[in-house]
Structures are given as structure tokens and as C-alpha cells.
Amino acid sequence: MARRLFDEMPERNVVTWNAMICGLGAYGYVDDALGLFEKMKKEGVVVPNGVTFVGVLSACCHAGLIDVGREIFRSMKSVYGIEPKIEHYGCLVDLLGRGGWLLEAVELVKGMPWKADVVILGTLLAASRISGNTEVAERVVKDILALEPQNHGVHVALSNMYAEAGQWQEVLRLRKTMKEERLKKAPGWSLVAT
């Protein structure tokens, strides 16, 4: 219904294009979202903006289209002169992390023009879990705690990762530290398995 209304519109602007692209991508119609993005570029009447790229990168993430996502991310600056913002980096970090490209995601975060926030770091922590890389997870947990010292849920997440990796000594060490320091997971904070 929404697509039919969009197609029948006599005139479209960047907001209507973005609404359609983001909606399609969010509901799993990735091919349609990417196709509409291509149509937007081909028609050339409306120029994509930062919101457009969030929608397209999110769609790539939902479908695991790593190469397409990388290329779209690069094109932001090289083709459209749009400087990627933290939300664009977040989409690409998530895409890379889910796809098993953890170390590339880490390098992307290191190369950002600003310091990573807790959302980006949480995405890296989830990617570390997917890859089973406790070394990266340890560094990410330290970075999260530097930003949010009261975020004790990351200790639980790291402990669970150690358990998944069979690193029982590390589980015991971390749980002992948590008990000694009386650290408890904050209600509502978790590392959602993806």
C-alpha cells in the first residue's frame, strides 16, 4: 500500500524517498530498498542525504550484504560529498561484525574522526561475541567502562563470552572480581545475542 502510494505521487522529495527506503529496509524488503535507492540515483531529481544512507546501510546490515555496504559507505564521501556521521559508522560496524569481519570493524572504529560512543562499542562487543574473540572483547569492555564506569553488565557479558570459549579460569577470576567489588548487572542492560 505504501509503495503504491509512493509510486503514484506526482512529486517526491528527499523525505518521501527516505521514508520509503528506510521502511522497506526495516521490514526486510532489502532488494526493494536497494532498488529504490538505485532508482533515486538514476532519476537524479533528488540527491541522497545522510538519512538515505542510514536506511540503505541498515538494509545491507539486515541482509548481510557486506561488499554492497562497504561500497555504499565509501560512496557517501567520494560520490556525494557527505561526511559519514557516527550512525553511518555504526551501521557499517554492525554489518562487518555480524558478517565476521571483526578486525575490520575494529580498524574502522579506530579510524573514526571522533571517539567511539557506548553504542558503537556495544556493537563491537556483540561482534566480538559472534566471532568468539575475547581479546577484542576485553579491550572493548575497558573502553565502555571508561565511558560508563557503572555499566557492570559488560562484566557479565564478558564472563559469558569466557564461558562460551571454555575459558573457565577467566570466568572464575571475573566473577570473583565482581563479587569482591560488589558489582551487579544494571537492570535492563544486556548484550543481545544476534
Side-chain angles (χ1 to χ4, degrees):
M1 173 68 128
R3 179 61 190 262
R4 192 185 59 176
L5 290 173
F6 175 82
D7 289 338
E8 292 173 357
M9 291 178 78
E11 190 175 309
R12 300 178 203 112
N13 60 27
V14 72
V15 174
T16 55
W17 282 94
N18 287 346
M20 200 69 237
I21 290 169
C22 292
L24 288 168
Y27 285 97
Y29 298 100
V30 175
D31 291 337
D32 293 332
L34 294 176
L36 201 58
F37 177 61
E38 289 302 319
K39 183 178 179 181
M40 177 189 204
K41 294 188 313 186
K42 187 177 180 183
E43 287 185 9
V45 177
V46 175
V47 178
N49 65 13
V51 175
T52 313
F53 285 101
V54 169
V56 175
L57 288 169
S58 293
C60 290
C61 190
H62 288 297
L65 301 174
I66 296 169
D67 291 335
V68 174
R70 282 183 185 127
E71 187 53 41
I72 289 170
F73 183 84
R74 287 185 197 114
S75 76
M76 288 180 66
K77 189 170 183 178
S78 66
V79 176
Y80 299 97
I82 297 172
E83 199 67 49
K85 293 186 170 50
I86 198 156
E87 55 268 23
H88 302 109
Y89 279 92
C91 289
L92 190 56
V93 167
D94 192 23
L95 175 61
L96 293 170
R98 288 175 189 254
W101 294 88
L102 174 62
L103 298 182
E104 184 177 337
V106 168
E107 290 306 311
L108 181 68
V109 171
K110 285 181 184 176
M112 292 190 321
W114 50 85
K115 192 172 174 142
D117 64 7
V118 174
V119 174
I120 295 279
L121 293 171
T123 304
L124 270 182
L125 186 57
S128 300
R129 190 200 58 74
I130 291 168
S131 297
N133 190 322
T134 55
E135 291 176 22
V136 170
E138 289 166 352
R139 290 193 303 267
V140 171
V141 165
K142 286 179 186 172
D143 291 343
I144 290 173
L145 290 172
L147 295 173
E148 288 186 355
Q150 300 305 315
N151 189 340
H152 305 305
V154 293
H155 290 292
V156 176
L158 184 57
S159 177
N160 291 341
M161 287 179 63
Y162 286 143
E164 288 174 14
Q167 297 177 0
W168 300 109
Q169 288 303 110
E170 291 300 318
V171 171
L172 294 173
R173 180 191 59 75
L174 190 53
R175 297 269 167 116
K176 181 180 177 188
T177 301
M178 290 173 65
K179 188 174 184 176
E180 288 172 356
E181 295 180 19
R182 297 178 189 209
L183 304 179
K184 292 184 180 174
K185 180 181 156 302
W189 196 101
S190 69
L191 177 63
V192 177
T194 53

